[in-house]
Amino acid sequence: MKKLSKLLLALSFALSITSSAFAVTVASWGGAYTESQKLGYGDPTASKLGVDINWVDYSGGLSEIKAQKEAGAITWDIIDVFAFDTINGCDEGIFVEFDFDKDFPAAPDGTPASEDFFAPMPSECAVGNILYSWNYAYNPNAFPGADSMPSTIADFFDTEKFPGKRSIYTSAMSNLEIALVADGVSAGGVYEVLENQTGGVERAIGMFEDLCNDPNGGCIFWSAGAQPPEFLASGEVVMSTGWNGRFFNAIVGEGTTIEQVWDGQVLDYEYFGLVAGGPNPEEAMEALAYFTSTEGLAGSAKYIAYAPFRISSLDIIAANEPWYKDGSTEMLPQMPTAPDNTKNYILMNAEYWADNSTELSEMWEAFKASL
């Protein structure tokens, strides 16, 4: 019996080693976002491939994976990253380069993956995951008897038609873009003005100087994503910029009376990188291919109001409405990339912010200090 017990114990240990050897570890941002990834495509991938998918939280950047690499003990296979991290990580050999149409499946209609992505990849080491919006919302109760409600990005700055205090993001990113569009610059021309026109940045900041100093307006600043819907619900402000996912959660999950405006939204994005020298490269690549397939990315939209990077994923959502986990909420109107929401949008230029963030931050902070 003792020999049998020892044999079973050894077998169990061997099986656990084999099982753990084929576990793919994904580093992401935690909270409701990672939960949407796990439930939307992580668990289905694990079931489909017979591979465990482990999710770990991290705080962003490349420092942690660099430390693993320097120690010769890489434990992550896939990382959810910003665009500029994929660029830097690719240059430094941290991430694997992809052949997009070979490594990732075509859309259901045969469209190659590279043509099915909403936007070009920032590097050969990035594959698109989700897009989210920097847009704004308003409290309709703040405008009793109004003939109309805010519907354009220009309305955010119109204190004569819509008097009241606004809440804006504490840093310059996204604020400069929406200000220029509100001031008449085409969405596609924003970065041309910011980069190449003398006084372009000052023009954008000037829009906020006027807004914040207007007796009919005024500004407060937010830094945490939960703040904009809270400010709106309390009546502290009448409009606030914010992240569409946070507004959605407030509306659907908490019953907050606010409305989102998509005009002039800034679309931002998240990508996946495959770690070079990761513990399970083949299984990780298989998992990543399913994560970012049409079906996989559509799955995450059951749990969070971020848009899948695949254009074809919207067809799955539309065909199966209501798509949200509650069984009653239609998700297509909540997708930042839905046709009705992308009539006038700005695609965030990560390279511009990476190259100019220090100077822009100094100018922005000087403006805030002058209020």
Side-chain angles (χ1 to χ4, degrees):
M1 286 296 291
K2 287 184 178 180
K3 288 184 178 181
L4 180 60
S5 296
K6 288 181 179 180
L7 179 62
L8 291 173
L9 182 62
L11 180 60
S12 175
F13 180 69
L15 288 173
S16 70
I17 291 176
T18 303
S19 176
S20 63
F22 294 101
V24 173
T25 299
V26 187
S28 190
W29 300 87
Y33 176 52
T34 296
E35 186 72 0
S36 73
Q37 296 176 300
K38 178 182 182 299
L39 297 175
Y41 46 69
D43 289 350
T45 298
S47 177
K48 179 181 177 70
L49 301 181
V51 174
D52 290 339
I53 309 291
N54 298 328
W55 298 86
V56 299
D57 296 349
Y58 87 127
S59 55
L62 300 175
S63 59
E64 292 175 79
I65 191 61
K66 286 181 179 179
Q68 292 180 22
K69 191 172 183 179
E70 289 171 4
I74 298 176
T75 60
W76 295 350
D77 295 288
I78 298 168
I79 310 178
D80 190 303
V81 283
F82 291 136
F84 57 83
D85 285 328
T86 73
I87 296 169
N88 294 332
C90 212
D91 291 342
E92 297 175 30
I94 294 171
F95 295 127
V96 173
E97 291 190 8
F98 298 123
D99 180 337
F100 294 110
D101 292 336
K102 178 181 177 182
D103 292 334
F104 301 100
D109 66 357
T111 301
S114 61
E115 298 175 25
D116 194 33
F117 297 135
F118 184 83
M121 298 303 150
S123 76
E124 296 298 316
C125 299
V127 60
N129 176 15
I130 56 97
L131 296 106
Y132 63 95
S133 172
W134 299 77
N135 61 347
Y136 82 90
Y138 64 90
N139 185 338
N141 295 327
F143 310 112
D147 294 334
S148 62
M149 290 291 161
S151 60
T152 69
I153 193 61
D155 289 338
F156 188 83
F157 295 86
D158 190 344
T159 57
E160 182 176 348
K161 188 175 181 181
F162 301 105
K165 189 174 291 186
R166 273 68 163 166
S167 175
I168 57 178
Y169 185 51
T170 191
S171 299
M173 190 167 65
S174 78
N175 284 326
L176 303 186
E177 291 93 330
I178 66 171
L180 289 178
V181 175
D183 199 35
V185 176
S186 69
V190 162
Y191 291 105
E192 173 69 23
V193 172
L194 288 174
E195 291 186 275
N196 300 317
Q197 285 194 15
T198 301
V201 174
E202 291 83 355
R203 176 182 174 184
I205 292 177
M207 291 286 287
F208 286 102
E209 288 177 331
D210 292 343
L211 176 66
C212 296
N213 289 310
D214 190 328
N216 290 325
C219 298
I220 61 174
F221 298 92
W222 65 269
S223 57
Q227 290 176 304
E230 290 172 357
F231 290 157
L232 290 165
S234 68
E236 190 169 355
V237 301
V238 298
M239 300 185 201
S240 179
T241 63
W243 296 316
N244 77 288
R246 292 286 189 163
F247 289 139
F248 172 83
N249 288 341
I251 295 167
V252 175
E254 301 166 14
T256 306
T257 305
I258 57 177
E259 298 288 341
Q260 295 191 75
V261 176
W262 299 98
D263 181 65
Q265 65 163 316
V266 181
L267 278 177
D268 212 338
Y269 25 61
E270 281 292 316
Y271 298 92
F272 282 126
L274 182 67
V275 178
N280 299 293
E282 293 183 8
E283 292 79 12
M285 186 62 242
E286 281 189 271
L288 189 56
Y290 186 76
F291 284 4
T292 57
S293 67
T294 297
E295 297 81 3
L297 290 178
S300 68
K302 289 182 179 180
Y303 304 96
I304 203 163
Y306 294 148
F309 217 97
R310 290 273 194 153
I311 298 169
S312 58
S313 296
L314 296 181
D315 294 333
I316 290 180
I317 296 170
N320 293 279
E321 292 282 30
W323 185 246
Y324 191 55
K325 63 182 180 181
D326 64 6
S328 60
T329 301
E330 295 196 350
M331 288 304 286
L332 190 62
Q334 306 294 338
M335 295 290 98
T337 58
D340 285 346
N341 298 337
T342 50
K343 295 177 180 178
N344 186 36
Y345 71 93
I346 306 145
L347 192 63
M348 179 71 76
N349 186 327
E351 290 188 15
Y352 172 76
W353 285 102
D355 292 343
N356 299 283
S357 59
T358 300
E359 179 185 358
L360 295 173
S361 178
E362 291 174 354
M363 296 174 69
W364 182 258
E365 292 304 317
F367 144 66
K368 288 167 61 181
S370 71
L371 295 177

